[in-house]
Amino acid sequence: MDKVTTTIDHSVLVNARKASRKKNLVSFLNKIKKNKAAVAGGIIILLYTLMFLIGPILAPYDPYDVQLDQKLQGPSLDHLMGTDDKGRDILSRILYGSRLSIGVGISAVFFGGTIGTLLGLISGYYGKWVDSIISRILDIMLAFPGILLALAIVSALGPSLINVTIAVGFFSIPMFARIVRGSTMEVKKLEYIDAVKTLGANDMTILIKHIFPNILSPIIVQASMRIATAILSAAGLSFLGLGAQPPSPEWGAMLSNGRDFLFTAPYMALFPGIMISILILGFNLFGDGLRDALDPRMKN
Amino acid sequence: MILFILKRLAQIIPVTLGVTLVVFLIMQMIPGDPAIILAGEGASQETVAELRENLGLNKPLAVQYTDYIKNLLQGDMGHSLKNNQPVFEEITARLPITIELAFYSILITIILGLIAGIISAIRPYSIMDVGLMIVALLGISLPSFWLGILLMYVFSVQLHWLPVAGWESAKHIILPAVTLGAGGAAIVARMTRSSMLEVVNQDYIRTAKAKGLKGYIIILKHALRNALIPVITVVGLQFGSLLGGTVLVESVFAVNGLGRMIVDAIRTRDIPVVQGGVLVASLIFVFINLFVDILYRFFNKRMDLN
């Protein structure tokens, strides 16, 4: 009998939280819809998502097909973005490369976000010495400037796109952990957590079923902002020759290759650069809109 | 204030030790046997054994770390695996170039950022404001390595005004410094604008206006001084991405600084050089952060007293 009562109480609590979350989400989306910058950023991100999904289907040529007799041709109707030093169609390479460039960013944020969230949840929930140790580790990770921590990791693991994903993900960990830690500390003080504790839920259940779903919004906001940094860092590392290796059509690597032909075929560096920049612009616009929607005081 | 400085100094000790530990662990993170991998393909067993002995890899990890710290305190960062030069010497040769580049970049960040931010804030929503903020948004969105290539194409390849690469004269400094400082300038411009707009609505600015003070005096003497506090923090935070950015910008413009040294060393898997470079850049960053914290505290304190 006791058990039945517990289940009923529990489901009532969970349903109440779900309803409140849904209401918050609807009001949040309405705010975003009213923000022009966020909408413009959202459209750009959507277009890139489409390219990520169906880009290779749209590609007019094989991105790896070397046609030396057609090398270094400027933009034309046959090759809208021209051809590179090996006669490969730049447009096709960019469409295929979207999977690599965007994919690396998303994977790195997923990797860093998962570990960061776990650390933040544990740190914020248990507090005391657990929090102290994790916070000190995060302080150390944050003591490395910019992409230097990623560089250090790539230097040990060796240059490759997978290692760049790990490295970029790794240096995203402290940003997620900090935010999740703060949110967890706030949520764990709420009454419903006391209620589920009284009902006998263990720490794992509380963390995963009751705290995690309620701190999802800041995690999602952070992830959407980190993806831009991750894509940019990964492209930067590939540009340095430490990520994607030839003949990979990753945008940073294409840009690096194009740099060698700046005098004869500047479009080789132009198009991959434009693709990265517009994507980052989209994320920045969207991020600005998110910030305004979340914190109206920032809007001037 | 002194107590605050001492407290912050005490906090720095574990972080500095932590940084040295992470840098030390780079060698241990190499998958497999680091000696075999670093000696390269086809190296004889004697070479591998000798390298293992030289790098101290046959000792227990704790002993290796203690040795590493002892050597660091004596200014010994090991030797390059490629040319056997002391890493410390290599760094002291390259670091001044990177510091010079960072100095000019931060100057551009502050000057351009403040001017653009103030102009925008004086007439919000005017054509000038919208134009400047669009440029700032672009400045944040353009990757430094692409902006560098664009500037190089326009000013070196097309106009022949500035040299393509290298680090010999004042002319060589302009493009790398602008490339590195542009992103930060855009962030500072946006921050100055929003921080100024917040300040100009405060009561004391209204009082200054009511007293009949001239517009530019209100802006420079009253509004800017208080609006600068969050801007200082942003400039401080920019140092991190600036130091990271030198890696990319030095590679674009073939500048022989610390950043390029690290990248070249990663390509040739010269791990002691990577370790030395990353350690020095990170320690500089840690101490700059300390300085910014103290500065921020100082300005905040002054505001409290006012």
Side-chain angles (χ1 to χ4, degrees), chain B residues 2-300:
Chain B
I2 292 170
L3 197 74
F4 171 76
I5 295 174
L6 287 175
K7 215 171 139 188
R8 278 295 278 114
L9 273 172
Q11 280 172 351
I12 261 190
I13 298 168
V15 172
T16 309
L17 271 175
V19 169
T20 58
L21 182 66
V22 172
V23 170
F24 163 77
L25 286 175
I26 293 176
M27 187 78 84
Q28 317 302 323
M29 281 190 334
I30 297 174
D33 184 343
I36 294 176
I37 288 167
L38 297 179
E41 275 175 44
S44 66
Q45 280 201 335
E46 290 83 52
T47 317
V48 173
E50 199 183 330
L51 187 67
R52 193 175 289 130
E53 178 72 29
N54 285 343
L55 295 173
L57 292 170
N58 42 7
K59 293 179 191 163
L61 208 59
V63 178
Q64 281 185 48
Y65 180 61
T66 326
D67 287 351
Y68 178 69
I69 295 290
K70 271 187 207 159
N71 291 339
L72 273 185
L73 290 173
Q74 291 164 2
D76 179 5
M77 294 179 160
H79 288 74
S80 159
L81 296 179
K82 299 299 155 194
N83 55 22
N84 212 27
Q85 287 291 309
V87 174
F88 187 75
E89 272 178 26
E90 190 106 355
I91 288 174
T92 44
R94 306 276 198 123
L95 189 60
I97 298 173
T98 299
I99 290 178
E100 199 180 354
L101 173 61
F103 172 77
Y104 287 114
S105 304
I106 208 82
L107 218 60
I108 286 169
T109 291
I110 295 172
I111 296 172
L112 281 187
L114 277 182
I115 292 176
I118 293 169
I119 293 175
S120 272
I122 290 174
R123 300 230 183 288
Y125 306 108
S126 64
I127 295 175
M128 192 70 159
D129 172 36
V130 174
L132 280 172
M133 285 306 113
I134 290 175
V135 173
L137 190 64
L138 287 176
I140 294 173
S141 306
L142 297 188
S144 64
F145 47 95
W146 192 56
L147 178 65
I149 291 176
L150 282 183
L151 292 176
M152 191 192 275
Y153 180 70
V154 175
F155 293 100
S156 309
V157 178
Q158 290 297 320
L159 300 171
H160 301 287
W161 287 356
L162 296 164
V164 176
W167 194 257
E168 286 127 42
S169 64
K171 270 189 165 183
H172 285 89
I173 299 175
I174 298 173
L175 287 185
V178 170
T179 306
L180 192 55
I187 294 172
V188 170
R190 282 158 57 115
M191 191 70 212
T192 308
R193 178 185 182 272
S194 70
S195 153
M196 289 269 291
L197 285 181
E198 221 163 87
V199 170
V200 290
N201 290 327
Q202 306 273 331
D203 288 343
Y204 69 92
I205 297 291
R206 225 169 288 145
T207 314
K209 277 183 193 162
K211 271 163 64 184
L213 285 179
K214 281 185 180 142
Y216 70 92
I217 294 184
I218 297 175
I219 292 289
L220 293 177
K221 226 183 150 186
H222 296 273
L224 185 62
R225 207 169 65 178
N226 290 314
L228 268 183
I229 296 166
V231 175
I232 292 170
T233 322
V234 173
V235 171
L237 288 173
Q238 276 309 299
F239 268 106
S241 45
L242 198 92
L243 278 172
T246 55
V247 174
L248 287 158
V249 174
E250 285 179 4
S251 296
V252 171
F253 292 99
V255 176
N256 266 328
L258 195 69
R260 195 167 171 221
M261 182 196 83
I262 296 173
V263 174
D264 288 345
I266 294 175
R267 285 202 191 113
T268 55
R269 301 213 91 177
D270 195 347
I271 301 290
V273 176
V274 178
Q275 285 177 309
V278 172
L279 181 70
V280 168
S282 307
L283 290 184
I284 291 175
F285 182 50
V286 167
F287 283 95
I288 286 173
N289 274 344
L290 170 78
F291 178 69
V292 171
D293 258 13
I294 293 171
L295 209 65
Y296 182 72
R297 177 87 175 185
F298 174 74
F299 273 97
N300 253 346

